[in-house]
Amino acid sequence: MTILWAKSSVIFDFMTTKPKHIVLKPDKDKSVLRLHPWIFSGAVAKRDNDIAEGDTVSVFNDRNEFLAKGFWQNDSIAVKILSFKDEEIDFDFWNARIAAAVAYRKTLGLLSDDATNVFRLINGEGDFMPSLIADFYDGLVVLQFHSVGMFRHKDAICEAIKNSLSGKCRAIFNKSSSTLPNNNSYRAEDKFLFETMDEDCVVLENGNRFLIDYNQGQKTGFFIDQKQNRMLLQRYAANRRVLNAFSYTGGFSVAALSGNAASVTSVDVSKRAIEICERNIALNFATNNHTSVVADVTEYLNTIGKDEFDMIVLDPPAFAKHRRDVKNALKGYRQINRKAIERIAGGGLLFTFSCSQSVSMDDFTTMLFSASALAKRNIRIITRLQAATDHPHSIFHPEGEYLKGYLAYVE
Ligand code: SAH
């Protein structure tokens, strides 16, 4: 059944309005009662026969008590919960959630910060909208849908974003071809959903300028989560020879040069990322001491001399996509950290990260301990590092704390 529903002269076409039912096994309601937003398929006892990927479902416990509403997925996570109340998932719902996300960013001083006009506007579970990412690039909002259910609501979500940003949204681009396949019932292709932008998208982060490769780049085009860590690096970079390993488009490289680094070398395996890195350096500095290298970091680290660098950034992609990959991922992290620690100059600073959700802070700490012991160098921890404040995670969803790292002083 198709229901047309009008609000502020905009018509939304919701595929279904009557939620389908699922019932959990005895005791499997505990995590839902603790407000965790995921229900695993093994917890489901019964479900309506006609539930399809992306349908809105109402979740009940074995005593037939309502627990939550969410989107069904044919996956190990069977339901991503949107609400613990029995409410309509309509324009008013999205408008309230997105207005709350905007209010949180305003609390952080974003939207009125002259030095930074790039931030994460919606951070999935961290903003109580699982599977929805929205990044704000000076008025261009890039959306990434990670579930079919969320994608079906894109029209209402776009309207709510425009409404909540009151005039500050210039265009909206959907970047979900890598997160949702196109199929017969929907087209997730990358394209503008509201207005268009012909010109390059250039933003300011901490006063540094960056070209955003939203159309062809990784994720939504830029790794905004490192904003505060880049600011920290800028503070410590003066006169240091910096190696930015896994540089992508040079976020840390530009920050280092802004902080008067003696030299910066950016290394990434992606030729396109390095090309944009070079454009970003040129956007900020007429003259500079920057070198870029297209290479595999693991191999590149074997070629650097001892004492060649006195600041090293290691920001690899997620080595573990699943819990079962953690052991191998930790070996990978240990290998690159060991090499960096062996070769960094005395008094060197190491910024080292993992963005794997399944690798815990404890795992990462143990890994750094082993790498330091194998490298036979003394390490002092200056501080722990995490994602920027515009990437909040919910207290009920610890998995949301995916980015972890250390700034370490190598003796
Ligand atoms: N620090 C970056 C983000 C890094 S994302 C920033 O602040 O923007 C991880 C990067 O690692 C991606 O650009 C990816 O192309 C690159 N990468 C993945 N595997 C690699 C490898 N083996 N060697 C070098 N780069 C790699």
Side-chain angles (χ1 to χ4, degrees):
M1 178 175 62
T2 297
I3 298 254
L4 292 180
W5 181 82
K7 174 93 186 179
S8 320
S9 77
V10 182
I11 295 178
F12 301 112
D13 182 358
F14 286 111
M15 308 278 290
T16 59
T17 49
K18 196 170 169 300
K20 296 168 182 173
H21 283 48
I22 70 163
V23 178
L24 301 188
K25 292 177 183 164
D27 270 357
K28 291 293 182 187
D29 56 355
K30 283 194 178 130
S31 81
V32 186
L33 294 170
R34 286 196 298 265
L35 306 185
H36 194 281
W38 297 344
I39 295 174
F40 289 93
S41 55
V44 178
K46 280 187 286 185
R47 60 181 180 104
D48 289 350
N49 287 333
D50 56 345
I51 297 178
E53 176 88 19
D55 283 351
T56 304
V57 292
S58 290
V59 183
F60 294 83
N61 64 13
D62 61 322
R63 297 180 300 284
N64 207 27
E65 292 161 344
F66 174 88
L67 295 171
K69 235 177 196 185
F71 292 138
W72 178 263
Q73 308 187 147
N74 297 325
D75 203 348
S76 62
I77 301 175
V79 180
K80 292 223 173 140
I81 294 174
L82 296 162
S83 179
F84 297 93
K85 286 197 292 197
D86 195 2
E87 60 182 322
E88 283 300 315
I89 310 300
D90 56 12
F91 174 80
D92 288 339
F93 172 85
W94 295 114
N95 203 37
R97 287 281 157 104
I98 293 170
V102 170
Y104 172 84
R105 271 73 191 171
K106 283 187 176 160
T107 303
L108 302 177
L110 295 164
L111 279 155
S112 53
D113 181 345
D114 289 343
T116 298
N117 56 24
V118 47
F119 58 89
R120 176 148 294 186
L121 176 66
I122 300 171
N123 192 40
E125 284 84 350
D127 284 295
F128 311 107
M129 289 176 264
S131 306
L132 180 60
I133 296 298
D135 285 338
F136 182 93
Y137 296 113
D138 189 21
L140 167 66
V141 176
V142 181
L143 292 177
Q144 206 161 53
F145 295 93
H146 290 261
S147 78
V148 176
M150 199 52 103
F151 187 69
R152 281 196 195 162
H153 287 249
K154 65 182 185 325
D155 295 344
I157 289 168
C158 286
E159 272 323 295
I161 286 174
K162 285 189 257 171
N163 189 44
S164 302
L165 286 175
S166 35
K168 293 202 168 175
C169 175
R170 293 192 287 145
I172 301 178
F173 187 75
N174 172 44
K175 178 81 186 299
S176 306
S177 64
S178 57
T179 55
L180 292 176
N182 282 317
N183 75 17
N184 293 338
S185 58
Y186 63 88
R187 307 283 309 159
E189 70 212 287
D190 297 346
K191 63 170 192 189
F192 281 97
L193 300 176
F194 165 65
E195 299 290 352
T196 54
M197 279 191 26
D198 295 331
E199 74 273 30
D200 279 347
C201 178
V202 175
V203 299
L204 271 179
E205 180 197 80
N206 305 324
N208 295 320
R209 301 174 75 205
F210 291 102
L211 178 70
I212 304 303
D213 191 17
Y214 61 90
N215 203 340
Q216 291 180 58
Q218 299 179 31
K219 307 278 172 156
T220 66
F222 196 58
F223 290 86
I224 308 174
D225 53 359
Q226 290 288 20
K227 171 168 42 188
Q228 274 143 350
N229 300 324
R230 289 195 271 257
M231 201 168 4
L232 188 68
L233 172 134
Q234 186 163 329
R235 245 183 31 218
Y236 288 115
N239 305 317
R240 289 186 181 266
R241 297 157 300 164
V242 180
L243 170 62
N244 182 9
F246 308 96
S247 64
Y248 187 50
T249 55
F252 283 106
S253 308
V254 170
L257 288 170
S258 281
N260 297 316
S263 66
V264 176
T265 303
S266 305
V267 183
D268 200 284
V269 78
S270 156
K271 189 162 169 279
R272 184 174 175 89
I274 288 292
E275 277 163 12
I276 294 179
C277 174
E278 285 173 355
R279 287 177 69 184
N280 280 332
I281 300 288
L283 258 178
N284 289 277
F285 313 100
T287 58
N288 58 72
N289 195 356
H290 179 257
T291 311
S292 52
V293 185
V294 177
D296 181 303
V297 164
T298 317
E299 286 164 21
Y300 181 81
L301 286 172
N302 292 327
T303 69
I304 65 174
K306 219 170 172 338
D307 301 337
E308 191 177 334
F309 295 104
D310 29 29
M311 181 180 266
I312 298 182
V313 181
L314 295 177
D315 185 21
F319 283 171
K321 299 267 188 259
H322 303 281
R323 197 63 228 163
R324 61 176 178 270
D325 306 330
V326 167
K327 217 171 142 205
N328 275 338
L330 288 169
K331 271 192 203 153
Y333 290 122
R334 194 177 63 209
Q335 188 187 20
I336 55 171
N337 277 273
R338 176 188 178 166
K339 286 181 187 178
I341 294 167
E342 276 171 352
R343 288 167 174 77
I344 197 169
L349 295 177
L350 174 69
F351 286 77
T352 181
F353 299 96
S354 159
C355 61
S356 303
Q357 191 174 72
S358 349
V359 170
S360 68
M361 191 73 203
D362 281 352
D363 291 338
F364 193 67
T365 306
T366 308
M367 178 286 299
L368 191 60
F369 170 96
S370 307
S372 311
L374 289 166
K376 299 192 172 59
R377 300 283 297 268
N378 275 337
I379 293 266
R380 288 186 181 89
I381 298 300
I382 299 176
T383 188
R384 280 187 178 196
L385 304 169
Q386 58 183 24
T389 49
D390 52 5
H391 289 59
H393 73 275
S394 154
I395 190 80
F396 306 117
H397 180 248
E399 296 90 338
E401 205 177 1
Y402 65 98
L403 182 66
K404 57 239 9 145
Y406 280 113
L407 167 55
Y409 178 90
V410 187
E411 218 165 88

